[in-house]
Amino acid sequence: MSVRHRRTIVGAVLAALLASGASAAPAATPGVGAPGAGDPYFPLAGNRGYDVQHYDLTLDYTPPRAGADRLTGRLDAVAKIRMVPTRRLTRFNLDLRGLRARSVRVDGRPARFRQVGDHELVITPIASMRPWKWHTVVVRYGGATGRPKDVEGALYGWVTTRDGAIVVNEPDGAPTWFPVNDTPKDKATYRFEVTVPQGLSVAANGLLKSRRTHHGRTTWVWDAPDQMASYLATATIGDFRMRRSTVAGDLPVIDFLDRDLPAEDRSRSRATLALTGEMVTFFEERFGPYPFVAYGSTVDDDSVGYALETQTRSVFSKVASESTAAHELAHQWMGNRVGPRRWSDIWLNEGWAEYSSWLWTESRGGTTSQEAFDEVLAIPADDDFWTTVVSDPGRDDLFADAVYERGAATLHALRHRLGDAQFFQLAKSWIGAYGGQAVTTEQFRRLAEAVSGQDLDAFFDTWLDAPVKPASR
Ligand code: TRP
Ligand code: ZN
């Protein structure tokens, strides 16, 4: 956690106190960490009053019995969480959903706890916690795993599969497998120690530290030393074939491919994954050095039906197509290294990732970015597509087509307005200036104006804020 990041947390708490009632989240009361981080789309996600530095998750998982007709697994776990209160705390919350907390210790001493509703784990330590000091919270928890769904009805979180679990948390699915301050504002480092039946593989974030088998169960230890938002954590489990390589100089890559996929899908994915090195180099030239310790792709069966840019280890359903692989890889810079502060700013992730995929496709001799832009602008003005406000699409339209396609078109139009030199300087400055932080659209607009020396208010208002089709330039 950087000092800068810490200041933003304090800022958020102060803002909440000053503007009490102004935000959709419950206001914080003195000494008690509020049960929400202030996101209008997800009022209960995240909490206030502390900042997590590190999650050390020890998970013991048993997938469904072979041939079982109900997809439910068994999770027994311990989360060791290192945190810093941003004020003296007599009580605080973690987000935990669908699993039971069995015991909680704070700084080595048993703490009182209760689970409120199906989302909040409320913890009352014996002694109040001193601000700006490290504290350790240990939660023992577990239960039956299922197949959770997000607000749009898509599978997410810890999704139990026939032979393991596909773990993709965006936007608020992390609490379905660990107690967490589930806000993209609070990035932390992670360690995962996951024990599964021998023969299964665990694909978590970061670097594989060790693997050992004991009495028919294998423990996989993963270390993720880069700051990471909770929605980007994964520990996907399955009958995978692991492949390690090194690309773009010295970047370690660890890929996992489901053995049960049709041969055709596997060979298509393998062909895509063979391009990882070239893709990394392509985006490094445009966005700056690859920002994390490792990369890799996990291709699981199609149980969730979409891909996610889980940090350092993107997850794909059924097949990794070239354009999707480029999209998820670009997210490592655009979304992961620099991420949104509020979910309403999701276009900063998706617009950039989609535009990156346009650029990659063009470089391979496919559809040019201009052609892709023209296709978006060919959508008739009375189409519903244009009614989405890209800078605030609404909770239920977080992943609407317009967030991706109009978001990408916005960047293409901006590139046309700024010229290539300034546009790519902006991309690099965006990562350079805000790397490791949680940002807003307003910050992007200001940086674009600073880099170009132009007043871009009318441009951005038209492209991002208006629920109507921009006039063709
Ligand atoms: N996977 C999407 C991406 O990489 C984002 C996403 C998360 C999503 N959950 C979803 C898309 C549910 C559709 C449905 O951009
Ligand atoms: Zn995306």
Side-chain angles (χ1 to χ4, degrees):
M1 183 203 65
S2 67
V3 171
R4 231 192 197 131
H5 180 61
R6 177 181 300 191
R7 206 176 297 136
T8 64
I9 294 289
V10 180
V13 173
L14 274 177
L17 288 171
L18 295 172
S20 58
S23 102
T29 44
V32 177
D39 194 293
Y41 291 5
F42 302 98
L44 285 182
N47 304 284
R48 282 186 175 134
Y50 64 91
D51 188 24
V52 174
Q53 267 76 63
H54 185 73
Y55 294 93
D56 186 337
L57 305 177
T58 302
L59 313 175
D60 197 286
Y61 182 62
T62 303
R65 269 178 296 105
D69 41 38
R70 224 162 60 82
L71 287 178
T72 174
R74 173 93 217 153
L75 190 62
D76 284 290
V78 183
K80 192 171 160 193
I81 302 169
R82 198 171 67 229
M83 58 153 73
V84 169
T86 52
R87 58 207 292 196
R88 183 170 288 277
L89 279 182
T90 57
R91 192 174 90 200
F92 65 96
N93 288 22
L94 286 162
D95 303 309
L96 183 64
R97 183 142 51 102
L99 297 169
R100 283 281 289 277
R102 307 193 200 293
S103 75
V104 178
R105 298 179 87 89
V106 176
D107 298 327
R109 298 153 81 186
R112 282 199 295 137
F113 65 97
R114 69 198 151 88
Q115 288 180 265
V116 178
D118 192 33
H119 197 272
E120 300 296 318
L121 170 61
V122 184
I123 297 171
T124 309
I126 283 178
S128 72
M129 294 160 77
R130 294 177 62 195
W132 305 115
K133 301 274 178 210
W134 281 4
H135 297 269
T136 303
V137 180
V138 177
V139 181
R140 282 173 198 279
Y141 66 101
T145 64
R147 291 168 64 87
K149 289 187 174 165
D150 71 12
V151 287
E152 292 180 68
L155 287 166
Y156 83 145
W158 186 282
V159 179
T160 309
T161 60
R162 206 178 26 79
D163 60 3
I166 182 163
V167 184
V168 285
N169 307 328
E170 192 180 25
D172 64 335
T176 65
W177 61 287
F178 63 100
V180 54
N181 187 27
D182 194 27
T183 163
K185 287 189 277 196
D186 190 359
K187 298 187 185 195
T189 56
Y190 287 70
R191 180 178 173 276
F192 306 87
E193 186 170 328
V194 187
T195 302
V196 293
Q198 184 176 0
L200 295 184
S201 299
V202 180
N205 312 89
L207 288 164
L208 181 58
K209 287 294 161 181
S210 67
R211 240 184 323 168
R212 48 176 201 274
T213 300
H214 191 65
H215 293 315
R217 293 180 73 81
T218 305
T219 300
W220 295 63
V221 179
W222 289 89
D223 187 35
D226 301 305
Q227 296 288 324
M228 176 165 82
S230 51
Y231 79 91
L232 296 168
T234 189
T236 293
I237 296 162
D239 184 9
F240 300 132
R241 203 190 146 85
M242 178 169 75
R243 192 170 168 275
R244 303 202 212 205
S245 57
T246 303
V247 303
D250 58 355
L251 178 67
V253 168
I254 314 179
D255 296 318
F256 293 87
L257 206 50
D258 196 316
R259 290 181 212 269
D260 299 331
L261 287 166
E264 192 187 320
D265 292 331
R266 262 185 296 140
S267 62
R268 209 176 137 210
S269 295
R270 266 198 298 267
T272 297
L273 301 191
L275 294 168
T276 299
E278 273 180 62
M279 286 188 190
V280 168
T281 303
F282 183 83
F283 293 124
E284 284 191 327
E285 282 163 4
R286 282 150 187 86
F287 305 150
Y290 179 79
F292 304 126
V293 293
Y295 191 61
S297 306
T298 302
V299 188
D300 205 340
D301 64 28
D302 63 350
S303 52
V304 301
Y306 59 86
L308 191 67
E309 65 270 23
T310 34
Q311 192 158 300
T312 70
R313 194 133 298 104
S314 296
V315 173
F316 299 82
S317 293
K318 196 162 170 338
V319 67
S321 74
E322 215 182 295
S323 59
T324 306
H327 177 111
E328 309 309 340
L329 175 60
H331 267 312
Q332 303 304 317
W333 289 260
M334 300 294 186
N336 297 4
R337 178 69 181 153
V338 175
R341 224 181 136 62
R342 293 183 302 251
W343 286 107
S344 52
D345 284 326
I346 189 73
W347 86 275
L348 286 170
N349 290 8
E350 302 307 346
W352 269 111
E354 198 58 16
Y355 192 56
S356 302
S357 165
W358 289 8
L359 295 173
W360 170 259
T361 300
E362 174 169 28
S363 80
R364 297 274 289 167
T367 308
T368 67
S369 52
Q370 185 60 41
E371 285 163 352
F373 177 84
D374 292 343
E375 266 177 52
V376 176
L377 271 286
I379 299 171
D382 62 359
D383 194 292
D384 269 357
F385 175 87
W386 300 110
T387 61
T388 301
V389 173
V390 176
S391 61
D392 191 5
R395 189 195 68 171
D396 298 344
D397 276 317
L398 214 46
F399 304 114
D401 283 355
V403 171
Y404 291 71
E405 303 303 325
R406 187 172 172 173
T410 301
L411 294 169
H412 188 75
L414 183 64
R415 178 178 160 204
H416 191 263
R417 170 126 181 196
L418 267 53
D420 279 11
Q422 280 187 1
F423 178 79
F424 288 108
Q425 191 201 326
L426 169 62
K428 278 194 176 144
S429 303
W430 181 234
I431 301 301
Y434 293 107
Q437 294 189 55
V439 295
T440 63
T441 296
E442 186 51 36
Q443 286 171 305
F444 182 70
R445 290 174 60 144
R446 272 194 262 120
L447 188 65
E449 293 193 327
V451 167
S452 66
Q454 295 188 45
D455 178 348
L456 296 169
D457 272 343
F459 173 89
F460 283 121
D461 287 355
T462 302
W463 277 97
L464 299 176
D465 300 339
V468 294
K469 183 177 176 176
S472 273
R473 46 154 239 272

